[in-house]
């Protein structure tokens, strides 16, 4: 018999508006049924008079649901939280404590960390320190069986949580938030992480907790920041969800990856953060980005220069595209480029018709500067490449076609992203995917599927040979080339499969027209 999910509500800064919150909870439960518990992050008490709170404290009024709250985030609120280990504040309202783990009778694990970040000693009573984070990490992650926790509650956002994700709106996650919380999240791998204090709602796309092709799949993390109760802009301050405790879930079900999953926003280790240093933002590391070498032992990191990563006393400048050793047919400034094939020129990339294309509308996306592969592209070039991809997909879809995109970084001089449209009536995306996989198996090649939002820079490094396919759904196939790779593999798949189906479909339509 399947485990019945728990129904949970999470809330942002209450700021003393207890009646507004609990009346809203009553309305939700009347409409949608009862919930098991309410978790409050941010400032539970506000700067308003205590008259409203006294009614709950004395029992005149009662919270309609078992409510758990975090501690003070400022000096003024400390007076409400006399016991650092947690205590009952009023009927159905419990203060969890400074830090720790709450395990319900169902097995649900809720980890909590009260207060705001402080790197100074002595630590104020409304703050947490690197030592607090370290002890919490040790308490939870010391066993080999540890896989993560169900829910993490903190008041401040984790720093850099917006990296690789959807927009966080007006909150700049490179400047706001706590680096200590970022380091804690990296290790605890919560399935849900709730925070507040920024007076806005932000539900980040779920992110993965494992390195693609390097580690076994793990569950994803969902970060949700909630606004303040009763805010005039009507931003979301209550979040309802259902959850089955991790320990009761089937392993395969637990690690399922949603289609919109992204890279982990905290790529670098949390060690620097736990020492009180800010973790560098991944986007700003173009000159010293780390890559995982699939040929090496698991976990070893190599820098983009090919040397083992070590701290350098001199910060590196962003890489400029290398200059070709000789004439290049595809550098836009080269006299060798066939400019009559150029369709569009952007800031960093250009679009050109393929010479000897597989179809009349076979095009190439190429960098204007000299880059050998996608892995070597700088951030601004990658951004423009993605814009070209989106535009081409939209254009070809309006013409009744879908795009197949592939790159061969093997015995090539300049990056060429081949974009080949295939009629929607010809075959499905799954047909295209199966065609590549089938042909790869016949060639005794392994095409590995990598998640939609994964970054190819995470699974290979500059100079490594590979073949890469991207389908119109965002699905990606990757093959690390070792030796004897057929240079025309992509073309061969097209001619042996797509072209034959297209011709067959056209002939069937012709015969049908003749018969009619």
């Amino acid at each position: 018999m399947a485990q019945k999910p728990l129904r949970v509500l999470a809330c942002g800064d209450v700021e003393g508006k207890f009646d507004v919150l609990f009346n809203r909870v009553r309305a939700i439960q009347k409409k949608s049924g009862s919930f098991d518990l309410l978790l409050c992050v941010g400032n539970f008490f506000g700067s308003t008079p205590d008259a409203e709170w006294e009614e709950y404290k004395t029992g005149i009024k009662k919270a309609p649901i078992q409510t758990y709250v975090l501690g003070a985030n400022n000096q003024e609120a400390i007076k409400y939280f006399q016991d650092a280990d947690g205590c009952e504040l009023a009927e159905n309202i419990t203060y969890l404590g400074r830090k720790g783990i709450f395990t319900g009778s169902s097995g649900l694990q809720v980890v909590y960390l009260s207060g705001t970040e402080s790197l100074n000693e002595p630590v104020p009573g409304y703050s947490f320190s690197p030592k607090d984070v370290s002890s919490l990490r040790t308490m939870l992650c010391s066993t080999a069986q540890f896989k993560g926790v169900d829910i993490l509650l903190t008041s401040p956002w984790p720093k850099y949580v917006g990296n690789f994700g959807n927009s966080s709106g007006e909150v700049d996650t490179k400047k706001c938030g706590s680096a200590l919380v970022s380091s804690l999240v990296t290790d605890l791998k919560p399935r849900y992480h709730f925070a507040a204090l920024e007076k806005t709602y932000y539900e980040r796309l779920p992110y993965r907790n494992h390195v693609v092709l390097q580690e076994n799949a793990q569950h994803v993390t969902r970060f949700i920041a909630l606004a303040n109760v009763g805010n005039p802009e009507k931003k979301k301050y209550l979040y309802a969800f259902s959850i089955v405790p991790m320990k009761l879930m089937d392993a395969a079900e637990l690690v399922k990856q949603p289609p919109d999953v992204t890279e982990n926003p905290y790529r670098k280790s949390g060690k620097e953060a736990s020492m009180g240093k800010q973790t560098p933002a991944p986007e700003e590391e173009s000159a010293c980005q780390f890559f995982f070498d699939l040929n090496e032992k698991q976990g070893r990191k190599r820098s983009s220069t090919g040397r083992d990563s070590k701290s350098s006393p001199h910060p590196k400048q962003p890489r400029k595209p290398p200059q070709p050793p000789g004439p290049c047919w595809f550098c836009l400034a080269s006299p060798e480029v066939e400019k009559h094939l150029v369709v569009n020129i952007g800031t960093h990339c250009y679009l050109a018709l393929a010479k000897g294309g597989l179809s009349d509308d076979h095009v190439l996306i190429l960098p204007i500067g000299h880059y050998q592969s996608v892995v070597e592209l700088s951030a601004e070039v990658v951004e423009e490449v993605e814009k070209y991809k989106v535009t081409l997909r939209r254009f070809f879809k309006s013409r009744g076609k879908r795009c197949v995109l592939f790159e061969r970084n093997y015995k090539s001089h300049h990056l060429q992203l081949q974009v080949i449209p295939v009629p929607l009536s010809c075959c499905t995306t799954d047909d295209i995917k199966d065609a590549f996989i089938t042909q790869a198996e016949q060639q005794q090649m392994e095409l590995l599927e990598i998640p939609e939002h994964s970054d190819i820079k995470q699974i290979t490094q500059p100079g490594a040979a590979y073949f890469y396919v991207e389908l119109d759904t965002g699905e990606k196939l990757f093959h690390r080339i070792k030796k004897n790779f057929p240079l025309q593999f992509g073309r061969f798949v097209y001619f042996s499969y797509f072209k034959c189906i297209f011709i067959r479909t056209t002939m069937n339509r012709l015969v049908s027209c003749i018969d009619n």
Side-chain angles (χ1 to χ4, degrees):
M1 182 175 178
Q3 171 68 26
K4 183 180 179 181
L6 292 167
R7 303 185 74 212
V8 182
L9 287 169
C11 177
D13 304 90
V14 180
E15 296 181 335
K17 298 178 180 177
F18 309 112
D19 286 346
V20 175
L21 169 62
F22 293 132
N23 286 340
R24 177 61 179 153
V25 170
R26 289 187 185 95
I28 291 174
Q29 293 200 119
K30 184 177 181 180
K31 181 179 180 180
S32 305
S34 62
F35 281 78
D36 296 287
L37 65 157
L38 168 63
L39 306 172
C40 296
V41 293
N43 295 310
F44 189 67
F45 295 97
S47 56
T48 55
D50 290 342
E52 192 173 308
W53 172 241
E54 284 297 321
E55 293 183 308
Y56 287 90
K57 188 177 179 180
T58 57
I60 297 174
K61 292 181 179 179
K62 176 184 174 181
I65 184 174
Q66 185 61 54
T67 304
Y68 296 94
V69 308
L70 293 183
N73 296 300
N74 53 62
Q75 184 65 44
E76 184 181 352
I78 290 180
K79 63 182 180 182
Y80 297 103
F81 306 99
Q82 298 299 321
D83 190 343
D85 295 327
C87 59
E88 185 175 80
L89 301 178
E91 187 175 358
N92 273 359
I93 302 176
T94 302
Y95 163 47
L96 288 167
R98 289 285 300 275
K99 66 179 186 294
I101 180 168
F102 168 77
T103 303
S105 57
S106 63
L108 185 75
Q109 289 189 320
V110 180
V111 177
Y112 53 90
L113 179 65
S114 292
T116 56
E117 176 181 311
S118 175
L119 304 178
N120 300 318
E121 294 288 349
V123 179
Y126 54 85
S127 296
F128 56 84
S129 68
K131 289 182 180 178
D132 291 322
V133 172
S134 179
S135 64
L136 191 55
R137 181 188 295 112
T138 301
M139 180 196 312
L140 295 163
C141 306
S142 56
T143 63
Q145 292 77 28
F146 178 78
K147 295 181 180 179
V149 299
D150 290 307
I151 300 172
L152 173 64
L153 306 178
T154 64
S155 287
W157 292 28
K159 204 165 191 178
Y160 309 121
V161 68
N163 291 343
F164 312 120
N166 48 315
S167 172
S168 53
E170 56 205 32
V171 178
D172 185 349
T173 60
K174 295 179 184 178
K175 297 179 181 178
C176 297
S178 165
L180 288 176
V181 172
S182 300
S183 73
L184 182 65
V185 175
T186 303
D187 290 329
L188 295 192
K189 302 180 179 116
R191 294 166 64 197
Y192 285 87
H193 178 193
F194 294 96
L197 298 184
E198 299 297 339
K199 300 187 182 300
T200 191
Y201 169 70
Y202 171 51
E203 183 171 1
R204 191 201 185 281
L205 290 173
Y207 63 84
R208 62 178 66 90
N209 284 297
H210 63 277
V211 180
V212 179
L213 303 182
Q214 287 290 301
E215 300 172 330
N216 293 330
Q218 299 182 44
H219 60 270
V220 301
T221 293
R222 290 173 168 85
F223 172 76
I224 298 101
L226 295 162
N228 49 315
V229 170
N231 65 86
E233 297 86 5
K234 300 189 182 300
K235 296 178 180 178
K236 189 171 183 176
Y237 63 83
L238 264 180
Y239 185 92
F241 65 106
S242 298
I243 184 171
V244 174
M246 180 186 298
K247 61 173 59 178
L248 301 179
M249 288 188 68
D250 175 73
E253 185 68 23
L254 177 65
V255 302
K256 277 187 177 179
Q257 305 291 295
D260 56 349
V261 68
T262 77
E263 286 298 324
N264 192 307
Y266 322 110
R267 279 187 181 176
K268 293 205 72 171
S269 166
K271 291 180 180 179
E272 289 184 350
S274 64
M275 294 169 60
K277 298 178 182 178
Q278 293 183 342
T279 306
E283 289 93 3
E284 298 169 352
E285 297 179 337
S286 60
C288 51
Q289 173 70 55
F290 292 105
F291 302 88
F292 290 89
D293 186 353
L294 299 183
N295 288 326
E296 299 292 327
K297 293 182 179 179
Q298 180 172 330
R300 181 179 177 184
K301 292 183 178 179
R302 287 179 157 253
S303 68
S304 59
T305 59
R307 297 185 296 270
D308 288 341
S309 59
K310 294 182 180 180
S311 59
S312 172
H314 304 293
K316 298 179 181 180
Q317 298 301 317
R319 286 187 293 116
K320 296 180 179 179
Q323 297 304 308
C328 178
W329 291 93
F330 299 102
C331 286
L332 195 58
S334 170
E336 307 293 336
V337 70
E338 299 190 53
K339 291 184 170 60
H340 66 282
L341 296 175
V342 175
V343 176
N344 178 269
I345 301 175
T347 305
H348 305 287
C349 304
Y350 71 98
L351 194 70
L353 292 173
K355 188 176 182 180
L358 295 172
S359 63
D360 292 338
D361 40 12
H362 177 179
V363 294
L364 308 176
I365 302 174
L366 308 108
I368 292 174
H370 187 76
Y371 293 91
Q372 185 173 332
S373 69
V374 165
V375 178
E376 296 181 359
L377 296 180
S378 59
E380 62 270 15
V381 183
V382 170
E383 183 179 358
E384 192 163 297
V385 166
E386 292 302 319
K387 288 180 179 179
Y388 268 114
K389 287 182 187 178
V390 170
T391 302
L392 287 170
R393 287 192 183 109
R394 189 183 303 125
F395 170 76
F396 285 125
K397 186 176 182 180
S398 71
R399 300 298 191 274
K401 299 179 180 181
R402 57 168 51 91
C403 289
V404 183
L405 184 148
F406 63 82
E407 176 199 0
R408 186 197 79 230
N409 184 35
Y410 177 66
K411 294 187 177 180
S412 57
H413 195 45
H414 187 110
L415 166 61
Q416 304 164 53
L417 288 176
Q418 312 275 344
V419 183
I420 306 167
V422 180
L424 292 172
S425 59
C426 171
C427 50
T428 66
T429 301
D430 286 339
D431 291 332
I432 297 172
K433 181 178 175 181
D434 290 343
F436 274 100
I437 293 175
T438 300
Q439 288 295 333
E441 290 174 348
Q442 291 179 5
Q443 299 281 351
Q444 295 185 329
M445 294 161 36
E446 184 179 24
L447 266 182
L448 300 173
E449 185 172 353
I450 58 178
E452 177 182 352
H453 292 282
S454 62
D455 185 349
I456 193 172
K457 294 185 178 185
Q458 286 292 86
I459 60 176
T460 189
Q461 61 184 18
Y466 63 84
F467 179 79
Y468 164 77
V469 183
E470 185 172 334
L471 306 176
D472 61 319
T473 56
E475 294 174 272
K476 301 170 185 176
L477 304 173
F478 177 87
H479 170 66
R480 179 181 289 282
I481 298 174
K482 296 180 179 178
K483 60 179 181 178
N484 301 327
F485 179 78
L487 296 180
Q488 303 302 327
F489 177 73
R491 287 175 169 265
F492 181 74
V493 173
Y494 179 85
F495 277 116
S496 64
Y497 186 78
F498 310 139
K499 200 73 172 180
C500 291
I501 291 182
F502 180 58
I503 293 172
R504 192 183 308 129
T505 303
T506 303
M507 290 300 295
N508 288 341
R509 286 179 178 174
L510 180 60
V511 170
S512 178
C513 289
I514 294 173
D515 290 341
N516 292 333

